[in-house]
Amino acid sequence: MSIHLFEAFGVELEYMVVDRATLAVRPIVDSLLQEAAGLPGAVVEAEGDPLFPNQVELGDAAWSNELTLHVVELKTTTPARQLDGLAATFARHVDRINAMLEPRGCMLLPGGMHPTMDPFREMKLWPHDYGPVYSTYNRIFDCRGHGWANLQAVHLNLPFTGADHPDDEFGRLHAAIRVLLPLLPALSASTPIMDGRLTGVLDNRLEVYRTNSRVIPAAAGLVIPEPVFTRADYERVVFGEIYRQYAPHDPDGVLRHEWANSRGAIARFMRDTIEIRVLDVQECPKADLAICGGITAVLRALVAGQFASLEELRGWQVHPLHEILLTVIRDGERARISDDAYLSMLGWRAGPCTAGELWAHLLEAAGAGDRSNAWWRPAMDLILSRGPLARRITAALGENPDGARIQAVYRQLAECVKANQQFAP
């Protein structure tokens, strides 16, 4: 079935499993999924390890594994016709998982990174089905670092139709996503702390993610995708170079798949979607879905030509967008945007501004008069007024926080995901 632009959405949320007493990561997701497979109505893939399934469908959401044994992913089972309502769906499944983890002395912890995890000592790879894929990644990249072993993201999947005019919808959507991508961490940064200390960077997850594939530079590129707008060009420019660089390290082609592309937005032609991957997980599904809703509203306006022509969107090269992204990774909503051409393209005519000011402008312009946006506005208003979660965590921690203070703040975040409420200290 063909799905046209913005007719449906796929959302994936990743959470850490941690010890309730110590908040240390607990590598038990394989046993969690094993138990979930026995729940009423559970559907397990016929292929794969029957003892340790990598995915269990439970009605409107599926639970699945990730690279490491302490991370569980929740995702929509099928594309959802609207984002509104998905926060409640995910919250129900968070409750269900927490109830199953409680007898094990564990719980889910939100946020894009664990604040004190030592990934070189604590990382354990998923050893079951797909184990060869993960072990190949580990052999090539050494996945013990933060950019592999300690990160939790939101993936927003935006379908396009490949029927009739196969490159039209993909090209328009890819052009819009590319130019908006540098601004996304201003809304979603949730990782100001790493190795038990505030680093001065608001989005440490992205900071380490953008360099974790340096052995294969083409894998992530510069995070911003190249300006290609047809499937043939994407296959040639993006996948062609990725596979060429992987070949000496992966002679059996274990990683020769679309998912070997680690850019901040990746084309998934096997299912006709573009998957946005730069978003940190927030403190609760309500915040995650509000961010997805706001982003979708602005992308819809960009695709419709509200701010700039398609030709103008397509004209942006990687490097100027990458420079903006680096600033926003570091400073979040306070990042200074001074590229006149970029601001003009997005309808801002008042000179240099912060990323937060630019988002307020974009959301207002894209959502003016559209009552369908009302559901995400309250959560987004808190983000715009008080900063992304990373800013609020930083304020709550204070200067030079010790271990006790870090634990106290992150326990509050664990309560936020349980209650599906935003962190507003």
Side-chain angles (χ1 to χ4, degrees), residues 366-377:
D370 188 351
R371 295 182 61 187
S372 67
N373 293 330
W375 66 271
W376 53 257
R377 283 195 174 277

Side-chain angles (χ1 to χ4, degrees), residues 14-29 32 69-72 93-111 114-115 406-419:
E14 297 169 347
Y15 292 106
M16 300 168 266
V17 175
V18 301
D19 188 279
R20 293 173 62 87
T22 67
L23 296 192
V25 299
R26 289 283 301 274
I28 62 168
V29 169
L32 171 69
L69 271 168
H70 72 275
V71 175
V72 61
H93 286 268
V94 165
D95 287 345
R96 201 169 187 182
I97 291 175
N98 268 329
M100 291 170 63
L101 290 175
E102 187 170 3
R104 295 173 165 90
C106 296
M107 63 181 178
L108 293 180
L109 186 67
H114 192 284
I406 293 169
Q407 281 242 350
V409 169
Y410 276 78
R411 286 188 184 282
Q412 292 179 56
L413 297 179
E415 292 302 317
C416 286
V417 76
K418 290 178 183 177

Side-chain angles (χ1 to χ4, degrees), residues 11-142:
V11 178
E12 307 166 22
L13 308 181
E14 297 169 347
Y15 292 106
M16 300 168 266
V17 175
V18 301
D19 188 279
R20 293 173 62 87
T22 67
L23 296 192
V25 299
R26 289 283 301 274
I28 62 168
V29 169
D30 54 353
S31 65
L32 171 69
L33 293 180
Q34 186 180 49
E35 181 179 347
L39 293 174
V43 176
V44 177
E45 293 177 340
E47 300 178 357
D49 188 336
L51 295 178
F52 291 99
N54 58 68
Q55 178 170 299
V56 179
E57 294 184 6
L58 291 162
D60 48 12
W63 308 357
S64 63
N65 75 294
E66 279 298 319
L67 173 76
T68 54
L69 271 168
H70 72 275
V71 175
V72 61
E73 179 181 76
L74 309 185
K75 56 190 174 185
T76 48
T77 307
T78 59
R81 286 299 175 179
Q82 57 184 20
L83 291 169
D84 187 10
L86 288 184
T89 296
F90 283 115
R92 289 198 307 273
H93 286 268
V94 165
D95 287 345
R96 201 169 187 182
I97 291 175
N98 268 329
M100 291 170 63
L101 290 175
E102 187 170 3
R104 295 173 165 90
C106 296
M107 63 181 178
L108 293 180
L109 186 67
M113 293 180 76
H114 192 284
T116 59
M117 179 188 180
D118 179 353
F120 290 93
R121 182 175 58 85
E122 299 178 78
M123 186 271 279
K124 291 189 178 181
L125 288 174
W126 176 268
H128 309 295
D129 192 27
Y130 287 111
V133 171
Y134 299 138
S135 62
T136 302
Y137 269 120
N138 192 39
R139 175 176 55 78
I140 295 172
F141 296 107
D142 184 1

